[in-house]
Amino acid sequence: MTNLHAGGAAEPDHRSSRPRAVLPALCATQITSWGIVYYAFPVLNSRITADTGWSTSATTGAFSMALLVSAVTGIPIGRALDRRGPHKVMTFGSALAVVSVVAIAAAPNLAVFYAAWFLAGIAMAATFYQPAFAAVTRWWGPQRVRALTVITLAGGLASTVFAPITAALADHFTWRTTYAVLAVLLALITIPAHALALRAPWPPAPEPSVHSGAENSSDTVARTRPFLLLAAAFTLSGFAVYAVVIGLVPLLTERGASATTAAWALGLGGAGQTLGRSLYASLARRTTPATRTVLLITAGGATTLALGLVPGPIPLLVVLAVAAGMVRGNLTLLQATAVTDRWGATHYGTLSGLLSAPATVAAAIAPWAGASLAETLGGYPALFAGLSLASLAAALLAWGSSVAVPSKEPSSQAKAKASEYGAPTRDVGR
């Protein structure tokens, strides 16, 4: 049976061949790619519909389709990352992202608009978190968690940086010109960064460990009960998390908050994500993969339930929004490390793509489904209560994925995990 608590493959330390420019380059490109390809759309969508006459549901549907395309194409892209590394994949993805943003800006009709977002979906899969995670997981080896944390901390600033930039541009130009200017920024920052910083030799995949199950092919691992249950857990949890993010502002306005206050609460939740990510390594040192998966998903459900049940005052609801953001920040790193924590880094790109694909689909449908459920259930408080039940089900699935799996790592594996998360090896087991 696959051991979910194994530390993964026996990995050489590639510190001597680790390219120094990779981490700063990926931080810059994650901020820019997410900020322009993803976060510019919600800022510009009202202007798009007002100018073109297209319905909000039609334009939002194109954006959701891009997320679905990203989920599907992330699987073959993950396989390519395992074989060839991120240099060509992410450089091509950056170029395609620029083409897609230009096509969005120039779209004369809805059909071309959808085609442009289709291309953007492929670009997302080739430039967003998953390929960046695959890059640092292989290059950083046992020190990957620190590198992953740095990248997600940077990525969390994407909306903070580019939402105001996009809004400022839109105040002076049309939405089409705004997207064109953003496309130039995207080209100037991401294409050369990926082309130049990711050229280092791609280290060989680490040798599989007899304790990790990585000696099996990625297809074999992906068909195991633990993998399928974990994928289901992340999918349910992801749906709840994204529905909460989209539903937070209308929930707070139903509670009596002004639109400005609700927007501030959403922004502070994003700051909570950054704080939460900075605490992940400390949590990981003290828990097994299965324990922290159940703990974090349950914590997400608890904050969602509290937001649904607590009527006020508004400052308390803002505090709960920040707490929910802290949990979301940890969940990002939880998913980034899920494969290596259980099956090693040998097939990271492939398994990570398979694991994240259904969660990405859930994230794509969450805005529409959440709004529809809120209308059916009679409001956002009831929706949040229902979403907390989804998180509880996800926690049970995560717990079920580890049932009947030995909970004690071999001492050498435990020491490797302690090193990975920044703890002195002499403290393992205490």
Side-chain angles (χ1 to χ4, degrees):
M1 180 179 290
T2 302
N3 184 353
L4 290 187
H5 295 287
E11 301 170 55
D13 191 346
H14 298 292
R15 195 172 306 172
S16 61
S17 62
R18 185 182 302 156
R20 295 180 180 179
V22 165
L23 201 55
L26 288 177
C27 287
T29 60
Q30 288 302 299
I31 292 173
T32 307
S33 297
W34 278 96
I36 293 175
V37 183
Y38 188 94
Y39 286 108
F41 174 75
V43 176
L44 295 175
N45 192 34
S46 61
R47 291 175 170 85
I48 295 173
T49 56
D51 177 60
T52 61
W54 304 333
S55 68
T56 299
S57 60
T59 55
T60 304
F63 184 72
S64 295
M65 179 200 66
L67 296 176
L68 295 174
V69 170
S70 173
V72 174
T73 55
I75 297 171
I77 285 174
R79 296 184 190 277
L81 287 164
D82 280 338
R83 292 193 301 268
R84 294 187 288 272
H87 180 227
K88 291 183 179 179
V89 170
M90 297 192 78
T91 304
F92 168 78
S94 296
L96 185 62
V98 172
V99 171
S100 68
V101 173
V102 171
I104 290 168
N109 53 54
L110 202 54
V112 175
F113 189 75
Y114 266 75
W117 277 108
F118 183 92
L119 295 178
I122 301 173
M124 289 177 185
T127 57
F128 279 9
Y129 276 146
Q130 294 307 320
F133 290 165
V136 299
T137 293
R138 183 75 66 88
W139 266 317
W140 263 251
Q143 302 301 317
R144 56 182 161 260
V145 172
R146 294 172 183 172
L148 290 169
T149 301
V150 170
I151 288 176
T152 55
L153 287 173
L157 298 174
S159 61
T160 305
V161 173
F162 275 95
I165 290 175
T166 303
L169 288 170
D171 286 340
H172 294 87
F173 305 106
T174 67
W175 69 269
R176 295 183 187 276
T177 302
T178 297
Y179 259 133
V181 173
L182 291 175
V184 173
L185 289 176
L186 189 65
L188 291 176
I189 295 172
T190 64
I191 295 176
H194 289 150
L196 298 176
L198 304 181
R199 292 182 300 172
W202 188 231
E207 290 297 322
S209 164
V210 295
H211 301 289
S212 68
E215 68 274 10
N216 296 318
S217 70
S218 57
D219 290 339
T220 300
V221 172
R223 289 194 295 268
T224 61
R225 174 177 170 273
F227 187 93
L228 294 173
L229 287 177
L230 189 64
F234 281 152
T235 299
L236 267 179
S237 175
F239 175 83
V241 163
Y242 279 93
V244 165
V245 171
I246 299 301
L248 183 61
V249 170
L251 171 80
L252 292 177
T253 54
E254 282 190 19
R255 297 294 198 195
S258 67
T260 300
T261 300
W264 269 103
L266 182 61
L268 289 172
Q273 286 187 188
T274 301
L275 176 60
R277 288 167 181 167
S278 70
L279 302 174
Y280 181 80
S282 178
L283 173 67
R285 286 196 298 267
R286 293 166 172 80
T287 57
T288 64
T291 299
R292 64 178 166 272
T293 301
V294 174
L295 178 65
L296 288 173
I297 292 177
T298 301
T303 57
T304 300
L305 181 62
L307 285 166
L309 295 182
V310 174
I314 298 302
L316 177 57
L317 293 173
V318 173
V319 170
L320 290 174
V322 173
M326 291 178 65
V327 176
R328 287 199 305 274
N330 277 280
L331 286 170
T332 301
L333 281 167
L334 178 73
Q335 187 165 333
T337 57
V339 170
T340 48
D341 282 345
R342 293 162 171 81
W343 299 284
T346 307
H347 307 296
Y348 179 87
T350 301
L351 291 176
S352 182
L354 290 168
L355 192 64
S356 65
T360 304
V361 172
I365 66 174
W368 169 81
S372 299
L373 286 171
E375 185 175 338
T376 301
L377 296 172
Y380 280 87
L383 170 66
F384 275 49
L387 292 173
S388 70
L389 294 178
S391 292
L392 175 60
L396 291 174
L397 287 168
W399 175 79
S401 71
S402 63
V403 169
V405 175
S407 60
K408 189 173 183 179
E409 297 175 348
S411 60
S412 61
Q413 297 281 48
K415 290 179 180 179
K417 293 307 292 179
S419 173
E420 176 182 339
Y421 291 107
T425 56
R426 64 178 179 273
D427 292 335
V428 174
R430 293 184 181 179

